[in-house]
Structures are given as structure tokens and as C-alpha cells.
């Protein structure tokens, strides 16, 4: 009996991770309230925890959860005296959908589910929310992560994440943001917000800003799953494919980015035979799809093209740095930023020599906007070391970078590089 109960609990956890985005999206379409939709979904989860260990896991667990949540919604509408006028309409609509929410629910509502998921993505990433709130809400609603999992990934307290989620749902409700896919002139800005959230989630997993671990692969693959969903739901948006390409190519290197004990390995020092060729191939195919669409290449597509240059190079010395420098120049034209200039300096330093790269970097540093960005000083240390005869300056740059980073693994690496150039 204990074994059956444990099996049921594991099944519930797996089903929730897979089905919760579709469940919440479908409920949000009906209630027009993301917070209420999640409450209904959680009620269904509680009911599953109560009954599945005793009665067994149903043949179609996702449909069971949806049907249970919709019954709960009908009960709530019936109890609300001020909603009497809407009761029959809502009960009829929900009851009709309940008839579908059995064995053939996926086939009967495939298009609707896709629209609901896309609407949920846009709702969770609405511009009325701050970046932290958008990330937390997206991981909760679309990633299927529990509050404690999100808190652990971002190294903050569970209460902090819970507050962000609660405030985000309240803000959405009070702002009248609605539950819909934006249209017309509103679409590009709203899509950019969705793409940014997925990108930020991946980056936090790929190079953690703080803590003892440089990599958090689970967070990377959560973002990758979201990017795949978005590309499937918005097939005519090149930047959705561009972002997916970028994340797939970057994720292909995860197995080669650290030693067995978690020590970071820089790109040019990685064993490229450990790069995941399946992910690389998928990333290159996604890039082809982005470039084949009629719209001009955007920022994520250009970054994917840069990543593709590294992916296609069998050895570090085979890297086409001149092409990468040109791609960074194109990227700077459409999305200029001081951080981009740091990356462009790296490319120019390899394509045309460290002195040329240092000129670009020092121009970017002159404005003071990079004073707190540790990677700018890490790059400066590397360029100075490659110039030769400037070891003292390189040591100072690496040391400053080590002081600025909040990641312990990265700090250790930077101090080791500082020590190496000082001798």
C-alpha cells in the first residue's frame, strides 16, 4: 500500500509539471483571472493528492484535473449571489466543456489549448509587471515549478517568491490586463517581453549571478522548454525561432562548461567533443527557420548566428572571428548597449588583435556605465594579458572583476587568472 501511495505521489508531481500550464491556461480563459485560475488548479491538485493514492492514477490524469477544476469553478459561480445572472451562461459553457474533458480532451481542444497557452505566456509577461515578477509568475504558471523550486534557483527566500507571485497576480487583476494574445501594433512590444523573460531565465541557469554553483542546468532546460513552446505557438515570428536557436546552441555546451567538481571552463578551453550535437543540430535548424521568415533578423536571431559560428568550429582556432565581429556590429546597430560592446571587444580582439579589442572596450568603459559589470574587467584583463608586458594592469583588472562578481565559482576562477598574470 505504501508503495502504491508513493507511486501515486510521484505520478502527481510529474503530471503537474507537464499539465499545469495547459490546465491554468484553460481555466484562465474561462475565468479571465490568472490568480483565480491557479487557485482552481491547486484545488484540483489537492483533490488528486487525496484520491489518487487511494483510487489509483486515472487513465487521462490531465483531463481528470481539468474536469475537477471546472466542477469547482461551477460550484463557486453557483454560490456567488452577485453572479446569479451569469450563472446559467457560465454553467452551460463549463458543462459543455466538461463533456469534452474526458478521454478525447486533447484532440477535441488542441487549437484552443495552443491559444490558451500563448495567451497565458503573454499574460505572465505583461509589461505592467517588473522583470522579477514576470520571471517568477512564468516559472510558476508555465514552468510548473513550485515556489520553493523557484526560490532555490534564484537564491532568494521562499517568502520572497511567494510575495512576488501574489503581487503579480494582484497587479494583473487590478490593471485589467486581460487574458488574450495581443494584436496589431501591440504584438511586437508584448512579444519582446515574453522573449526577454525566457532569455533571463536561461541566462540565470547558464551563468548564475550568485551562489556557489556556476551552472543551474535545470533552470536552463526549463527556459528551453518554454522557448520551444513559444516557437511552436508562434511559428511565423522569427525572433521566437531565433531565441530557441540561441538557447539550444548554448545549452549544447552545458556538459563541457565545468569540471566534475563544478569549476568553470571557459569557451575556448572546452572539450568540444562533449558538446551535445543533437542540441547543436536543433539549434542550427531553428536558426534556418528564423532566417527563412520574411522579417529582418532581430537581436536574438543575430545572437544565435554568433553562437552558430562557435558551434560550427571544430577547434577554437577554426572560429570565424571576423564574421562574429561583423554580426556584433549588426547587433549593435539594432540593439546597442554597453554590455554588447564588451562582447564586441572580445570578437574584435580575436579578429584584429588585442589592441583593437582594447580600444573598443576602453571606449565602452569610459562612460562609467560598466563600472559594476565584472565581465567588462575580466575581458580587459584577458586583452591586456594577450598584449604582453602589461601584467600588472591585467592583474588589477582580474582582481577588480573578482571583487564585483557574486558567484563564488567565478570569483575563484578570476583570482586564479589574476595570480597567473602577476607571475
Amino acid at each position: 500500500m505504501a508503495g502504491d501511495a508513493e507511486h501515486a505521489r510521484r505520478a502527481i508531481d510529474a503530471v503537474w509539471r507537464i499539465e499545469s500550464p495547459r490546465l491554468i491556461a484553460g481555466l484562465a480563459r474561462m475565468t479571465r483571472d490568472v490568480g483565480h485560475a491557479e487557485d482552481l488548479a491547486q484545488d484540483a491538485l489537492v483533490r488528486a493528492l487525496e484520491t489518487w493514492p487511494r483510487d489509483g492514477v486515472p487513465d487521462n490524469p490531465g483531463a481528470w484535473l481539468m474536469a475537477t477544476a471546472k466542477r469547482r469553478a461551477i460550484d463557486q459561480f453557483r454560490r456567488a449571489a452577485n453572479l446569479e445572472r451569469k450563472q446559467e451562461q457560465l454553467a452551460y459553457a463549463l458543462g459543455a466543456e466538461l463533456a469534452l474533458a474526458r478521454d478525447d480532451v486533447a484532440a477535441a481542444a488542441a487549437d484552443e489549448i495552443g491559444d490558451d497557452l500563448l495567451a497565458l505566456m503573454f499574460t505572465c509577461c505583461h509589461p505592467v509587471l517588473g522583470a522579477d515578477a514576470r520571471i517568477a509568475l512564468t516559472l510558476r504558471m508555465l514552468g510548473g515549478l513550485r515556489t520553493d523550486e523557484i526560490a532555490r534557483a534564484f537564491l532568494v527566500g521562499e517568502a520572497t517568491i511567494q510575495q512576488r507571485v501574489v503581487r503579480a497576480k494582484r497587479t494583473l487583476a487590478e490593471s485589467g490586463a486581460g487574458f488574450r494574445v495581443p494584436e496589431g501594433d501591440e504584438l511586437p512590444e508584448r512579444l519582446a517581453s515574453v522573449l526577454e523573460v525566457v532569455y533571463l531565465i536561461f541566462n540565470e541557469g547558464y551563468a548564475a549571478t550568485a551562489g556557489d554553483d556556476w551552472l543551474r542546468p535545470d533552470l536552463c532546460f526549463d527556459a528551453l522548454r518554454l522557448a520551444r513552446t513559444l516557437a511552436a505557438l508562434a511559428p511565423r515570428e522569427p525572433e521566437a525561432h531565433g531565441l530557441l536557436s540561441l538557447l539550444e546552441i548554448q545549452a549544447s555546451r552545458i556538459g563541457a562548461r565545468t569540471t566534475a567538481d563544478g569549476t568553470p571552463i571557459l569557451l575556448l578551453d572546452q572539450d568540444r567533443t562533449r558538446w551535445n550535437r543533437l542540441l547543436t543540430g536543433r539549434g542550427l535548424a531553428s536558426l534556418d527557420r528564423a532566417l527563412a521568415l520574411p522579417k529582418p533578423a532581430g537581436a536574438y536571431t543575430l545572437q544565435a548566428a554568433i553562437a552558430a559560428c562557435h558551434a560550427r568550429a571544430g577547434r577554437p582556432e577554426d572560429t570565424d572571428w571576423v564574421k562574429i565581429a561583423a554580426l556584433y556590429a549588426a547587433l549593435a546597430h539594432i540593439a546597442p548597449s554597453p554590455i554588447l560592446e564588451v562582447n564586441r571587444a572580445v570578437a574584435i580582439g580575436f579578429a584584429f588583435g588585442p589592441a583593437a579589442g582594447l580600444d573598443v572596450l576602453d571606449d565602452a568603459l569610459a562612460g562609467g556605465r560598466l563600472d559594476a559589470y565584472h565581465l567588462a574587467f575580466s575581458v580587459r584583463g584577458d586583452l591586456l594579458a594577450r598584449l604582453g608586458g602589461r601584467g600588472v594592469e591585467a592583474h588589477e583588472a582580474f582582481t577588480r572583476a573578482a571583487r564585483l562578481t557574486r558567484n563564488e565559482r567565478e570569483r575563484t576562477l578570476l583570482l586564479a587568472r589574476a595570480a597567473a598574470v602577476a607571475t
Side-chain angles (χ1 to χ4, degrees), residues 95-236:
E97 293 196 38
L98 273 171
L100 293 175
R102 294 190 176 93
D103 293 340
D104 58 347
V105 65
D111 291 340
E112 193 172 76
I113 287 171
D115 291 343
D116 290 347
L117 279 171
L118 192 57
L120 183 60
M121 275 191 162
F122 279 105
T123 302
C124 290
C125 300
H126 199 284
V128 298
L129 303 176
D132 287 344
R134 280 180 276 160
I135 289 170
L137 197 61
T138 299
L139 286 173
R140 176 74 170 265
M141 302 292 188
L142 285 153
L145 273 67
R146 301 187 308 271
T147 301
D148 62 312
E149 292 176 311
I150 303 170
R152 188 162 57 248
F154 285 89
L155 301 180
V156 296
E158 189 173 340
T160 299
I161 294 298
Q162 185 63 37
Q163 288 168 5
R164 287 177 188 172
V165 170
V166 169
R167 283 198 297 264
K169 290 189 288 188
R170 184 187 304 125
T171 299
L172 288 173
E174 292 174 351
S175 69
F179 182 79
R180 63 183 179 85
V181 177
E183 299 176 347
D185 294 340
E186 187 185 12
L187 180 60
E189 178 187 351
R190 295 286 303 280
L191 179 63
S193 179
V194 176
L195 295 169
E196 180 190 20
V197 167
V198 177
Y199 181 67
L200 289 172
I201 291 170
F202 183 89
N203 278 353
E204 183 58 32
Y206 197 68
T209 55
D212 297 329
D213 297 316
W214 197 41
L215 273 175
R216 296 185 192 129
D218 288 349
L219 208 51
C220 290
F221 288 107
D222 282 327
L224 194 53
R225 181 158 53 91
L226 291 170
R228 285 175 180 154
T229 300
L230 181 58
L233 296 174
R236 299 188 62 79

Side-chain angles (χ1 to χ4, degrees), residues 32-67:
R32 320 306 296 177
D33 185 323
V34 171
H36 189 199
E38 193 197 12
D39 290 342
L40 290 168
Q42 291 285 349
D43 286 346
L45 177 64
V46 170
R47 184 65 177 154
L49 289 166
E50 292 171 349
T51 61
W52 290 9
R54 182 190 67 230
D55 301 338
V57 179
D59 292 337
N60 192 333
W64 188 98
L65 288 169
M66 182 65 82

Side-chain angles (χ1 to χ4, degrees), residues 73-407:
I74 291 173
D75 290 343
Q76 289 180 355
F77 286 130
R78 284 174 175 163
R79 285 197 301 268
N82 62 335
L83 291 178
E84 285 182 7
R85 185 177 58 83
K86 296 182 179 179
Q87 177 186 320
E88 287 189 13
Q89 297 172 348
L90 287 167
Y92 176 83
L94 293 173
E97 293 196 38
L98 273 171
L100 293 175
R102 294 190 176 93
D103 293 340
D104 58 347
V105 65
D111 291 340
E112 193 172 76
I113 287 171
D115 291 343
D116 290 347
L117 279 171
L118 192 57
L120 183 60
M121 275 191 162
F122 279 105
T123 302
C124 290
C125 300
H126 199 284
V128 298
L129 303 176
D132 287 344
R134 280 180 276 160
I135 289 170
L137 197 61
T138 299
L139 286 173
R140 176 74 170 265
M141 302 292 188
L142 285 153
L145 273 67
R146 301 187 308 271
T147 301
D148 62 312
E149 292 176 311
I150 303 170
R152 188 162 57 248
F154 285 89
L155 301 180
V156 296
E158 189 173 340
T160 299
I161 294 298
Q162 185 63 37
Q163 288 168 5
R164 287 177 188 172
V165 170
V166 169
R167 283 198 297 264
K169 290 189 288 188
R170 184 187 304 125
T171 299
L172 288 173
E174 292 174 351
S175 69
F179 182 79
R180 63 183 179 85
V181 177
E183 299 176 347
D185 294 340
E186 187 185 12
L187 180 60
E189 178 187 351
R190 295 286 303 280
L191 179 63
S193 179
V194 176
L195 295 169
E196 180 190 20
V197 167
V198 177
Y199 181 67
L200 289 172
I201 291 170
F202 183 89
N203 278 353
E204 183 58 32
Y206 197 68
T209 55
D212 297 329
D213 297 316
W214 197 41
L215 273 175
R216 296 185 192 129
D218 288 349
L219 208 51
C220 290
F221 288 107
D222 282 327
L224 194 53
R225 181 158 53 91
L226 291 170
R228 285 175 180 154
T229 300
L230 181 58
L233 296 174
R236 299 188 62 79
E237 294 296 334
E239 280 291 77
H241 296 291
L243 177 63
L244 177 57
S245 171
L246 175 62
L247 302 195
E248 285 176 325
I249 294 173
Q250 298 287 70
S252 74
R253 304 177 195 153
I254 285 177
R257 294 194 78 229
T258 61
T259 63
D261 67 356
T263 300
I265 304 175
L266 299 178
L267 175 62
L268 298 184
D269 298 326
Q270 290 171 15
D271 178 0
R272 299 188 177 208
T273 64
R274 296 182 61 197
W275 288 1
N276 186 313
R277 293 300 168 187
L278 176 61
L279 279 173
T280 298
R282 293 180 67 158
L284 294 175
S286 296
L287 178 59
D288 289 340
R289 283 192 287 274
L291 294 173
L293 290 167
K295 296 180 182 178
Y300 294 113
T301 301
L302 288 173
Q303 288 181 71
I306 291 167
C309 290
H310 293 293
R312 292 186 175 110
R315 302 172 303 166
E317 55 267 32
D318 297 332
T319 306
D320 189 346
W321 287 106
V322 174
K323 182 177 180 179
I324 291 174
L327 287 167
Y328 270 121
L331 187 56
H333 182 70
I334 64 171
S337 78
I339 291 176
L340 174 63
E341 289 301 292
V342 176
N343 295 324
R344 192 167 74 89
V346 173
I348 288 176
F350 280 109
F352 306 111
L358 192 61
D359 287 342
V360 172
L361 181 62
D362 284 346
D363 283 345
L365 286 168
R369 290 184 293 173
L370 294 169
D371 285 352
Y373 185 53
H374 71 283
L375 290 179
F377 297 98
S378 174
V379 169
R380 192 168 196 276
D382 184 67
L383 291 168
L384 289 165
R386 288 170 52 208
L387 274 172
R390 301 182 69 173
V392 173
E393 292 174 85
H395 177 271
E396 291 174 354
F398 283 130
T399 302
R400 182 170 181 177
R403 285 199 305 269
L404 289 171
T405 185
R406 293 187 292 129
N407 185 280

